[in-house]
């Protein structure tokens, strides 16, 4: 049976957008990690009977009638949506859902508080979260959450139809998943990927230490702000500034061309497959390494990262317990992937059952659908890694300047059109009024 799925995603997995366009129009939803789980969800649902359309993150209640007419189900993969600064968007999404007549499936959502699950911190968002859950459960059998902290929170709000299913990103390869350490120990010449959250100040001494010790270290960035810095340099007010974290072009990791960022998951996964170890505070940076086959280690600094590490048995430490002089070689040595590997089939069976309960197909159980998806990925030419502007040739920088000039010209034309339209309307109204007066004589 043909199934028309509206999938909450900023873009589809085969929508190719340049790095410049990605930055200008925010095609990553502030963080490229969003694409990892939304594209994995797209693959999971890509059966021969499914027609999947990305929502572009629109959540306008005025679209409800059109959605009811055009789609059979609205699938919503989410990250840490139960947090203070997401409240307004959660309310908009709730208002849209309340007007929908089709099933609504939440494919993984998480709460954000500290690693101790501070309940009092969440009080201000209780009511918006309750309204969202009620709206979803009026159209769904249950809500899929990312881990035990989120499940516990929703149960304290009075909801029992809650299931832990993790994050779709870890199921990109179905039930076939294994991570192995290929080296007994890490040495200074090995390739390390540091997945840094630039706002976690406690990372500063780790950045300094690993930059000095590991010449083949690369910082794998994910944020929209860093993408802008890579493409165009520092913002005017930040030029000449320095910081111990890599947030300015003056930082050694920028100056030495050791920063990379991808605007699509697939080349990112391929790139990370060539590393010996990945570590840091980014949960989807760590997961991207793991699904590439590279051992990863998470430094958990909040509940959203911690609960996914626990759910999937990803090797981790709490960031507050990490000594300032800890070395990646020590983290690599203590990392044990036995539970992650051995528990994967059961976790995959759990999300498979969740999809079946909500009448959603699974590409891995639909002939060669998953294989065809992978083949289309291989045929698609995605933008390469974005590197610091200083690493580019004159020709590459000139092409970027020309793109900016063309973009500015297009914007100016749009502004002229917008200004001209009201003027045309005024003229039309004035002429119409004059004609009416003449006819009435």
């Amino acid at each position: 049976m043909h199934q028309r799925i509206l999938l909450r995603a900023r873009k589809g997995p085969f929508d190719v957008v340049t790095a410049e366009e990605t930055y200008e129009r925010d095609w990553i939803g502030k963080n490229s990690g969003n694409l990892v789980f939304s594209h994995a969800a797209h693959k999971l649902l890509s059966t021969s009977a499914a027609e999947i359309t990305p929502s572009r993150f629109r959540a306008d209640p005025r679209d409800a009638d059109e959605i009811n007419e055009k789609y059979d189900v609205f699938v919503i993969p989410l990250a840490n949506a139960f947090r203070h600064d997401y409240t307004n968007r959660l309310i908009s999404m709730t208002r849209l859902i309340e007007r929908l007549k089709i099933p609504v499936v939440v494919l993984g959502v998480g709460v954000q508080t500290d690693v101790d699950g501070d309940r009092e911190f969440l009080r201000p968002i209780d009511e918006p979260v309750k309204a969202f859950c009620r709206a979803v459960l009026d159209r769904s059998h249950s809500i899929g959450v990312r881990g035990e902290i989120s499940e516990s929170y929703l149960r304290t709000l009075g909801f029992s139809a809650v299931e832990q299913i993790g994050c779709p990103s870890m199921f990109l390869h179905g039930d076939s998943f294994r991570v192995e350490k290929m080296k007994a120990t890490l040495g200074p010449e090995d390739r390390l990927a540091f997945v840094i959250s630039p706002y976690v100040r406690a990372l500063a001494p780790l950045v300094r230490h690993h930059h000095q010790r590991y010449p083949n270290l690369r910082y794998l960035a994910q944020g929209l702000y860093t993408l802008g810095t890579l493409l165009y340099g520092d913002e005017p007010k930040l030029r000449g500034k320095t910081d111990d974290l890599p947030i300015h072009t003056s930082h050694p990791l920028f100056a030495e061309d050791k920063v990379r960022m991808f605007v699509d998951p697939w080349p990112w996964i391929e790139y990370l497959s060539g590393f010996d170890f990945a570590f840091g505070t980014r949960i989807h940076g760590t997961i991207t390494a793991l699904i590439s086959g590279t051992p990863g280690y998470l430094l958990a600094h909040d509940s959203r990262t911690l609960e996914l590490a626990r759910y999937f048995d990803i090797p981790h430490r709490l960031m507050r317990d990490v000594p300032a002089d800890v070395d990646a070689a020590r983290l690599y040595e203590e990392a044990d992937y036995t539970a992650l590997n051995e528990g994967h089939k059961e976790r995959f069976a759990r999300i498979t059952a969740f999809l079946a309960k909500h009448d959603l197909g699974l590409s891995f159980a639909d002939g060669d659908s998953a294989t065809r998806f992978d083949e289309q990925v291989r045929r698609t030419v995605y933008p390469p890694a974005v590197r610091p502007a200083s690493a580019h040739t004159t020709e590459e920088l000139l092409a970027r300047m020309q793109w900016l000039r063309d973009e500015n010209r297009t914007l100016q034309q749009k502004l002229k059109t917008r200004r001209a339209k009201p003027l045309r309307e005024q003229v039309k109204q004035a002429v119409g009024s004059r004609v009416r007066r003449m006819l009435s004589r």
Side-chain angles (χ1 to χ4, degrees):
M1 182 181 71
H2 186 66
Q3 189 174 48
R4 301 167 300 171
I5 301 172
L6 178 63
L7 181 70
R8 184 186 178 275
R10 187 67 183 94
K11 66 174 186 174
F14 310 112
D15 295 331
V16 177
V17 183
T18 66
E20 291 82 2
E21 290 175 289
T22 297
Y23 177 70
E24 294 300 324
R25 295 174 180 81
D26 188 14
W27 283 107
I28 59 174
K30 306 299 182 189
N31 186 327
S32 55
N34 290 320
L35 300 183
V36 180
F37 68 78
S38 66
H39 287 196
H42 195 119
K43 179 181 177 180
L44 288 173
L45 299 172
S46 291
T47 66
S48 55
E51 178 187 342
I52 305 173
T53 303
S55 70
R56 311 297 185 199
F57 279 7
R58 278 184 63 87
D60 190 335
R62 292 172 296 183
D63 295 338
D65 290 341
E66 181 181 356
I67 292 172
N68 287 326
E69 181 182 348
K70 292 177 62 175
Y71 302 101
D72 301 308
V73 59
F74 185 21
V75 179
I76 310 177
L78 285 168
N80 50 323
F82 298 157
R83 68 181 193 268
H84 288 230
D85 63 356
Y86 199 80
T87 304
N88 289 338
R89 281 172 284 182
L90 191 68
I91 291 171
S92 294
M93 203 181 308
T94 301
R95 288 174 179 164
L96 169 61
I97 293 169
E98 287 171 342
R99 296 183 60 180
L100 295 181
K101 299 175 182 177
I102 60 175
V104 175
V105 183
V106 174
L107 193 60
V109 63
V111 67
Q112 183 168 340
T113 182
D114 63 17
V115 291
D116 298 313
D118 183 356
R119 181 67 184 85
E120 290 305 312
F121 178 75
L122 299 172
R123 295 285 179 200
I125 67 169
D126 283 357
E127 291 307 316
V129 171
K130 284 181 184 178
F132 174 81
C133 291
R134 281 194 298 265
V136 171
L137 290 173
D138 283 344
R139 296 155 181 83
S140 185
H141 298 290
S142 60
I143 292 177
V145 297
R146 298 169 88 179
E148 89 281 1
I149 298 173
S150 296
E151 180 183 7
S152 175
Y153 172 58
L154 292 191
R155 290 190 182 279
T156 66
L157 295 180
F159 299 101
S160 58
V162 182
E163 299 182 58
Q164 291 185 44
I165 59 171
C167 177
S169 54
M170 281 291 283
F171 303 111
L172 187 70
H173 306 305
D175 66 354
S176 302
F177 180 79
R178 193 159 191 86
V179 177
E180 301 285 355
K181 291 193 281 189
M182 304 307 292
K183 296 172 176 285
T185 59
L186 279 184
E189 297 303 315
D190 287 325
R191 297 199 71 192
L192 267 63
F194 207 165
V195 291
I196 299 168
S197 306
Y199 48 83
V200 179
R201 300 302 307 178
L203 285 170
L206 276 68
V207 172
R208 284 194 300 272
H209 167 77
H210 289 88
H211 169 252
Q212 293 167 1
R213 178 169 168 76
Y214 294 93
N216 292 316
L217 175 79
R218 294 294 182 271
Y219 162 33
L220 272 293
Q222 292 179 215
L224 189 70
Y225 170 84
T226 307
L227 178 59
T229 305
L230 286 166
L231 290 170
Y232 306 118
D234 297 317
E235 294 181 3
K237 64 180 180 181
L238 299 176
R239 288 171 192 161
K241 302 280 186 180
T242 59
D243 197 283
D244 290 334
L245 288 172
I247 58 177
H248 305 308
T249 56
S250 59
H251 194 278
L253 290 174
F254 275 89
E256 297 168 17
D257 187 24
K258 293 183 177 180
V259 184
R260 298 289 184 275
M261 182 167 172
F262 293 87
V263 296
D264 294 282
W266 322 112
W268 185 8
I269 293 168
E270 184 177 8
Y271 181 74
L272 278 171
S273 68
F275 281 75
D276 298 298
F277 189 51
F279 69 108
T281 50
R282 291 286 197 185
I283 183 60
H284 281 100
T286 304
I287 287 176
T288 304
L290 292 170
I291 58 180
S292 79
T294 295
Y297 194 108
L298 180 75
L299 306 177
H301 64 95
D302 59 13
S303 63
R304 66 191 171 98
T305 55
L306 178 62
E307 70 174 350
L308 277 177
R310 286 176 175 169
Y311 183 80
F312 287 109
D313 288 312
I314 297 170
H316 64 279
R317 287 195 197 184
L318 298 184
M319 186 67 215
R320 68 187 180 196
D321 297 337
V322 176
D325 61 349
V326 73
D327 192 276
R330 174 65 184 276
L331 301 178
Y332 181 86
E333 180 184 1
E334 71 180 47
D336 184 347
Y337 299 96
T338 304
L340 184 151
N341 291 328
E342 292 182 354
H344 187 75
K345 286 186 183 297
E346 189 276 330
R347 286 185 287 263
F348 182 69
R350 197 180 302 170
I351 196 170
T352 297
F354 179 86
L355 293 176
K357 178 189 293 187
H358 292 83
D359 299 316
L360 291 167
L362 176 70
S363 61
F364 292 95
D366 183 58
D368 64 350
S369 291
T371 301
R372 285 189 287 106
F373 183 96
D374 291 339
E375 288 172 351
Q376 188 172 352
V377 167
R378 283 191 289 272
R379 291 195 302 268
T380 305
V381 180
Y382 297 100
V386 184
R387 299 165 60 182
S390 59
H392 288 276
T393 64
T394 302
E395 290 76 14
E396 289 171 331
L397 292 175
L398 180 59
R400 185 168 296 165
M401 290 171 62
Q402 289 173 337
W403 184 89
L404 282 172
R405 183 189 63 184
D406 294 343
E407 186 71 5
N408 181 62
R409 184 176 296 163
T410 301
L411 178 60
Q412 292 297 326
Q413 188 60 44
K414 287 181 179 178
L415 289 173
K416 286 180 182 178
T417 303
R418 288 174 186 171
R419 286 194 295 265
K421 186 176 180 181
L423 180 60
R424 288 197 300 271
E425 291 299 323
Q426 291 175 28
V427 172
K428 183 178 178 181
Q429 290 173 9
V431 170
S433 177
R434 191 167 188 179
V435 168
R436 285 192 295 273
R437 285 199 303 273
M438 290 175 64
L439 291 173
S440 65
R441 288 176 183 173

Coordinates of all heavy atoms in Angstrom, one line a residue, residues 214 297 317 326-335:
Y214 N 49.3 15.5 19.3 CA 48.9 14.7 18.2 C 48.9 15.6 16.9 O 47.9 16.3 16.7 CB 47.5 14.1 18.4 CG 47.5 13.1 19.6 CD1 47.2 13.5 20.9 CD2 47.8 11.8 19.3 CE1 47.1 12.6 21.9 CE2 47.7 10.9 20.3 CZ 47.4 11.3 21.6 OH 47.4 10.3 22.7
Y297 N 34.4 7.9 21.6 CA 34.3 8.0 23.1 C 33.6 9.4 23.4 O 34.1 10.4 22.9 CB 35.7 8.0 23.7 CG 35.7 7.7 25.2 CD1 36.1 6.5 25.8 CD2 35.3 8.8 26.1 CE1 36.1 6.3 27.1 CE2 35.4 8.6 27.5 CZ 35.8 7.3 28.0 OH 35.8 7.1 29.3
R317 N 32.5 9.1 29.7 CA 32.7 9.6 31.0 C 31.9 10.9 31.2 O 31.6 11.6 30.2 CB 34.2 10.0 31.3 CG 35.2 8.9 31.4 CD 36.5 9.5 32.0 NE 37.6 8.6 31.9 CZ 38.8 8.9 32.4 NH1 39.0 10.1 33.0 NH2 39.8 8.1 32.2
V326 N 43.8 14.6 31.0 CA 43.5 13.3 30.4 C 44.0 13.2 29.0 O 43.9 14.2 28.2 CB 42.0 13.0 30.5 CG1 41.2 13.8 29.5 CG2 41.7 11.5 30.3
D327 N 44.4 12.0 28.6 CA 45.0 11.9 27.2 C 44.0 10.9 26.4 O 43.5 10.0 27.0 CB 46.4 11.3 27.2 CG 47.1 11.4 25.9 OD1 46.8 10.4 25.1 OD2 47.8 12.3 25.6
A328 N 43.9 11.2 25.1 CA 43.1 10.3 24.3 C 43.5 8.9 24.3 O 42.7 7.9 24.2 CB 43.1 10.8 22.9
A329 N 44.8 8.6 24.5 CA 45.3 7.3 24.5 C 44.7 6.5 25.7 O 44.4 5.3 25.7 CB 46.8 7.3 24.6
R330 N 44.5 7.3 26.8 CA 43.9 6.6 28.0 C 42.5 6.3 27.8 O 42.0 5.2 28.2 CB 44.1 7.6 29.2 CG 43.4 7.1 30.5 CD 44.0 5.8 31.0 NE 43.3 5.4 32.2 CZ 43.5 5.8 33.5 NH1 44.4 6.7 33.7 NH2 42.8 5.3 34.5
L331 N 41.7 7.2 27.2 CA 40.3 7.0 26.8 C 40.2 5.8 25.9 O 39.3 5.0 26.0 CB 39.7 8.3 26.2 CG 39.7 9.5 27.1 CD1 39.1 10.7 26.3 CD2 39.0 9.3 28.4
Y332 N 41.1 5.8 24.9 CA 41.1 4.7 23.9 C 41.3 3.3 24.6 O 40.6 2.3 24.4 CB 42.1 4.9 22.9 CG 42.2 3.9 21.8 CD1 41.4 4.0 20.6 CD2 43.1 2.8 21.9 CE1 41.5 3.0 19.6 CE2 43.2 1.9 20.8 CZ 42.4 2.0 19.7 OH 42.4 1.0 18.7
E333 N 42.3 3.3 25.5 CA 42.6 2.1 26.3 C 41.4 1.6 27.1 O 41.2 0.4 27.1 CB 43.8 2.4 27.2 CG 44.2 1.2 28.0 CD 45.3 1.5 29.0 OE1 45.7 2.7 29.0 OE2 45.8 0.6 29.7
E334 N 40.7 2.5 27.7 CA 39.6 2.0 28.6 C 38.3 1.8 27.9 O 37.4 1.2 28.4 CB 39.3 3.0 29.7 CG 38.7 4.3 29.3 CD 38.5 5.3 30.4 OE1 39.4 5.5 31.2 OE2 37.4 5.9 30.5
A335 N 38.2 2.2 26.6 CA 37.0 2.0 25.8 C 36.7 0.6 25.5 O 37.6 -0.1 25.0 CB 37.0 2.8 24.5

